[in-house]
Amino acid sequence: MKNVVLLTVDTLRRDVLGGYGNKGGLTPFIDSLQNKCIRFTKAQSIGPYTQASFPGILTSSYYLEYGRGKKLSPKRTLVSEALKKSGIVTAAFHSNPYLSGYFGWNRGWDIFYDSMDADVSPEIPYIKGDGINSKVDECLFSYTREGKYKPFFLWVHYMDVHEPYVPERKYIDMVDSSISISQDEMFNLFKNVLLKRDVSDEETVGLLKKLYDAHIREIDDYVKEFFGILEKLNLLKNSVIIMTADHGDEFNEHGSLSHDGKMYSELIDIPLFVYGYDRVKAEVCNTLVSNIDIPPTINYLFGLEPAEDFEGHSLLPFEDYPKKGCFGEAIDKIGNKEEETDKPVYFYREDDLKIIYRESDDIWEMYNLKEDPKELNNIINASSLAENMKKKLKPRIRRWVKE
Amino acid sequence: MTEEVKKRCAELVEKSKGIVHKAFEKFKPLEMAITWTGGKDSTTNLWITRQVCLEDNIELPKVITIDEGDAFPEITDFLIRTSKKWNIDLRWLANFDVLKCCQSHLGNTVKVKDLNERNQAELKRIGFEEDSFTFEAESYAGNHLMKTVVLNQFIEKNNIKALFMALRRDEQAARKHDEYFTKKEGGYLMPEHTRISPILHFTERDIWNNIKLHNIPYCLLYEIGYRSLGARTNSNPMAVGVPAWEQNLEHTPERAGRRQDKEKTMDRLRKLGYM
């Protein structure tokens, strides 16, 4: 039986990866993996920010399924809990406060490192990828030292692409060496532009995107280092690696910055691929899939049935994956603060159609992604398919309220 | 203690002394300072630096300690006793403006508008835009004003070019790649300086072996089970009644006794632009 590794990158847009068509050469190492990967071209996140998305990735359930509690509901089954019950060793390494022990994500892990005890600076408020990697290296080294070991599930999550976007000089140079900017100036952009969601100056938005891209280039180095660790410890050929993101990031595609409660492609489209050492060629799956399908896939790879309350389907073998629509939900907040009074927003996608409902203003939107990939032309009143799409989304709206 | 352990200690100390020598080649003692919290690491660091100064007849750089307003009386006592014993003119630094605004009382509310201009500017710099905060050592605003700002102001006022600090590589994952000399880029309200970490290569076990071998003084809290000392309200013994050096240092996390719940997590969220 192979080990399973889930490698997630916070805030990683799909369109920055060469494997998904980017020509900027930001991810040379990740791109080089593609000939040993199954690549899912239409993977969707169930939510546009960490708290709305990770319930899918690690518990195969939707964000609002168990109400609006900030802490992970004890009713959800973490994939780590399901695996541990079956004797799989589980370990997690990350630096995202929303996924910390404090919020209840430490259940079911034999080793859980959330880095919350480490000191961090305002400019880089998380443990960088190389720090996470050394922690992983240390742990895997001592775990496999004896030679014989039980199969493990390892989850590693990098934060480096997340704002405040203060990348190292060498990565800025790799993206655009003509950019001259100090650490202070970058941090000021974060405070005065990004936090205020100020998109009034096109050039500044462009600069922020370049700083973001510099972090993407940086992430590629950490992924490379991570694969190096697995290889060094003789684990690469014994492991299946699932790589994905929790959501993307916005650079004024729909009038804002960062990742708030919106359901457009720049936030919802995510990269997703499965690396296997023995694979001989790149494979592509064009079916609409969702990150809620990841936990059942992990169970499948360990030869286990999905946990009873998992709502997704195993992505493998992908020939057997049922054709279905993708659903997502979040709280419709603009800016970085979620208020009690903020209301939910939902989307449903089927083939190339996406419908969005915002409860706060009772607004419906629908887009044809094939004809209008940027989602700028709302066809809710023009399309004859709108009623049918509405009908499919409606049962999911406020479904937890007993009327 | 085995000969092997003694030999290792001697090698580690020699290496540290080499770093200190190198530091004195680059900077004048007057431009340098040694940070001392009263914990096991910074006491070891001070002991080594002081040894070099005594051996080579170099003036000991300024020794500073920062009072965050939430100190263990045992540590304060230890600092006073040890500085007397070692004949050190210890400088006690604090953000007195903040202490005044909260009447030096933990849990009291500090109104931002009551703070002096510099402190207000500092809060603005780190993106803190609320009208008030609770005075706690590990809160976002509190931590910055009580520790970082105090250190930066000291560096600025005394034209300090380099600081001896007591970081250890094995302390946390993020330190694994740390270097002995790290230059901190200057900027708005942030003076440029170099941080020197002579004991970077010590492990927690090495620290205790060396303390025992050379009878270096240590704070009594370690005897009753504390492994890592921070602010009083955030630190707890790891194993009550078991001295730190008798605990399972290699397989249990050193900082597990430090509180790392809500405040730490909220601080991170705020820094990431949430809340």
Side-chain angles (χ1 to χ4, degrees), chain B residues 96-155:
Chain B
F96 294 106
D97 179 48
V98 178
L99 289 174
K100 194 179 78 197
C101 288
C102 69
Q103 290 97 38
S104 296
H105 198 282
L106 283 174
N108 273 6
T109 302
V110 177
K111 289 198 181 106
V112 173
K113 69 171 172 47
D114 294 343
L115 292 170
N116 66 26
E117 241 171 72
R118 166 81 188 233
N119 282 329
Q120 289 195 29
E122 285 282 359
L123 289 180
K124 217 170 158 195
R125 177 170 82 81
I126 60 165
F128 184 85
E129 286 183 348
E130 282 161 48
D131 300 336
S132 65
F133 62 91
T134 307
F135 178 66
E136 280 172 331
E138 293 295 344
S139 70
Y140 186 64
N143 188 54
H144 182 71
L145 294 180
M146 300 306 289
K147 285 204 283 207
T148 316
V149 172
V150 172
L151 187 63
N152 282 345
Q153 279 188 308
F154 170 79
I155 294 173

Side-chain angles (χ1 to χ4, degrees), chain A residues 95 97-98 100 102-103 113-123 125-127 130-131 134-135 138 159 162-164 182-184 187 190-191 195-196 225 259 333 336-337, chain B residues 124-127 129-130 138 140 144 147 171-177 185-190 253 255-256 258 260-262 264-275:
Chain A
S95 193
Y98 274 128
S100 65
Y102 173 70
F103 285 110
Y113 175 75
D114 65 11
S115 87
M116 290 304 125
D117 63 332
D119 297 322
V120 297
S121 68
E123 291 81 11
Y126 46 80
I127 297 299
D130 52 355
S134 25
K135 204 82 192 166
E138 209 173 277
M159 281 301 283
H162 196 286
E163 63 221 43
S182 71
Q183 222 191 50
D184 270 357
F187 196 60
F190 166 62
K191 283 183 303 184
L195 283 185
K196 299 197 167 126
E225 184 185 54
H259 40 277
K333 64 181 175 82
N336 44 25
K337 205 165 182 170
Chain B
K124 217 170 158 195
R125 177 170 82 81
I126 60 165
E129 286 183 348
E130 282 161 48
E138 293 295 344
Y140 186 64
H144 182 71
K147 285 204 283 207
E171 239 173 332
Q172 42 181 266
R175 299 241 158 102
K176 192 142 186 182
H177 302 291
E185 200 184 316
Y188 173 61
L189 299 177
M190 286 189 298
R255 286 185 168 217
R258 295 253 197 129
Q260 54 151 317
D261 52 2
K262 200 173 170 184
K264 280 264 186 187
T265 309
M266 294 305 150
D267 170 38
R268 289 287 189 89
L269 288 177
R270 206 187 284 273
K271 283 179 177 152
L272 286 165
Y274 299 110
M275 313 296 287

Side-chain angles (χ1 to χ4, degrees), chain A residues 238-389:
Chain A
N238 301 320
S239 305
V240 176
I241 301 162
I242 303 171
M243 209 178 146
T244 190
D246 54 352
H247 53 78
D249 219 9
E250 180 178 0
F251 293 90
N252 197 23
E253 284 83 354
H254 290 92
S256 190
L257 294 164
S258 188
H259 40 277
D260 296 328
K262 294 181 179 182
M263 296 303 189
Y264 305 113
S265 304
E266 59 273 12
L267 300 183
I268 294 298
D269 284 357
I270 45 167
L272 172 62
F273 42 86
V274 180
Y275 172 94
Y277 185 82
D278 309 322
R279 293 198 163 272
V280 286
K281 66 173 174 60
E283 283 185 81
V284 172
C285 175
N286 294 317
T287 311
L288 204 53
V289 302
S290 160
N291 54 2
I292 205 164
D293 301 321
I294 291 174
T297 310
I298 295 167
N299 274 28
Y300 168 83
L301 287 166
F302 282 117
L304 301 169
E305 289 294 315
E308 237 169 60
D309 51 350
F310 283 0
E311 294 189 52
H313 299 269
S314 176
L315 297 164
L316 298 169
F318 71 79
E319 297 81 11
D320 296 350
Y321 185 84
K323 184 177 146 61
K324 61 179 177 75
C326 283
F327 171 72
E329 61 193 2
I331 298 299
D332 185 10
K333 64 181 175 82
I334 295 295
N336 44 25
K337 205 165 182 170
E338 183 182 317
E339 307 285 353
E340 289 291 317
T341 47
D342 289 338
K343 294 204 166 133
V345 52
Y346 311 85
F347 84 87
Y348 175 73
R349 179 169 169 187
E350 202 175 284
D351 300 324
D352 288 322
L353 289 182
K354 187 199 271 184
I355 188 161
I356 299 170
Y357 176 65
R358 279 198 283 134
E359 215 174 285
S360 50
D361 314 305
D362 193 23
I363 284 179
W364 290 88
E365 291 165 69
M366 194 165 101
Y367 301 95
N368 183 327
L369 295 162
K370 197 168 186 181
E371 290 161 12
D372 174 28
K374 292 186 169 166
E375 296 159 289
L376 297 170
N377 181 24
N378 181 3
I379 54 169
I380 193 79
N381 294 320
S383 169
S384 58
L385 300 166
E387 277 315 307
N388 187 34
M389 286 293 282

Side-chain angles (χ1 to χ4, degrees), chain B residues 67-121:
Chain B
D67 181 359
E68 290 175 60
D70 185 18
F72 281 102
E74 290 87 345
I75 298 183
T76 309
D77 182 54
F78 170 77
L79 287 168
I80 294 171
R81 271 188 300 116
T82 313
S83 53
K84 264 188 201 156
K85 186 174 167 187
W86 284 352
N87 198 18
I88 285 167
D89 177 20
L90 178 61
R91 284 151 208 255
W92 299 76
L93 310 179
N95 194 325
F96 294 106
D97 179 48
V98 178
L99 289 174
K100 194 179 78 197
C101 288
C102 69
Q103 290 97 38
S104 296
H105 198 282
L106 283 174
N108 273 6
T109 302
V110 177
K111 289 198 181 106
V112 173
K113 69 171 172 47
D114 294 343
L115 292 170
N116 66 26
E117 241 171 72
R118 166 81 188 233
N119 282 329
Q120 289 195 29

